[in-house]
Amino acid sequence: MARLFGRGSAEEVPSGVVLERLDRTAAEVTNPEPGRAGEVRDRAAQAWQTRFQDLLEDADGAGRDALAAGLRELVAFARQAGEGVSAADGGIAVGGDLHVEARDSSAAAVRMGDVTIGVPVNPPTPGPAQG
């Protein structure tokens, strides 16, 4: 991406600045404050969308062709990298098959809250009959 943003005239953003922005974005997205992963990811996506729109609008004919080729290369790279899995706050990401099985009067889940299986050791005393 730094090559795409850093090419051309001196008025364009130098590639070092783009690399710094990418590093900053990566740090923000990979280490968000608890409960804010989605918000941080959305904000980063919006900022980079705007940067790409500005880049495309500012490109001239020959520059636009070179830019299009670079963007196709970037998309191909992202598709290869995107074959992994990820999850936002509270999510679980699984790449491939997942088999969860309960056996012998047990419980099984990928994520499980409070569970009581069988009769509690000290069951509560029943209250007065209601009727």
Side-chain angles (χ1 to χ4, degrees), residues 56-122:
L56 289 166
E57 289 172 2
D58 293 343
D60 60 7
R64 183 168 286 179
D65 292 342
L67 181 59
L71 286 171
R72 281 191 291 276
E73 183 180 323
L74 182 61
V75 168
F77 178 77
R79 283 187 178 143
Q80 288 176 349
E83 292 175 4
V85 296
S86 65
D89 292 343
I92 296 172
V94 177
D97 296 337
L98 172 68
H99 178 78
V100 179
E101 181 178 336
R103 293 184 181 182
D104 302 321
S105 300
S106 64
V110 173
R111 173 168 292 140
M112 186 180 305
D114 295 336
V115 176
T116 302
I117 299 174
V119 179
V121 176
N122 296 317

Side-chain angles (χ1 to χ4, degrees), residues 3 12-13 20 29-30 49 55 57 69-71 85 87 93 101 105 123 127 129:
R3 278 188 295 138
E12 293 186 48
V13 179
E20 288 174 16
V29 171
T30 57
Q49 178 180 348
L55 182 67
E57 289 172 2
L71 286 171
V85 296
E101 181 178 336
S105 300

Side-chain angles (χ1 to χ4, degrees), residues 17-73:
V17 173
V18 175
L19 291 174
E20 288 174 16
R21 286 179 181 162
L22 284 169
D23 288 343
R24 187 173 47 247
T25 301
E28 292 170 357
V29 171
T30 57
N31 299 308
E33 293 178 22
R36 298 192 60 211
E39 176 188 341
V40 170
R41 187 179 51 249
D42 291 347
R43 189 178 68 237
Q46 184 177 13
W48 281 98
Q49 178 180 348
T50 300
R51 289 181 181 117
F52 275 104
Q53 286 173 331
D54 291 345
L55 182 67
L56 289 166
E57 289 172 2
D58 293 343
D60 60 7
R64 183 168 286 179
D65 292 342
L67 181 59
L71 286 171
R72 281 191 291 276
E73 183 180 323

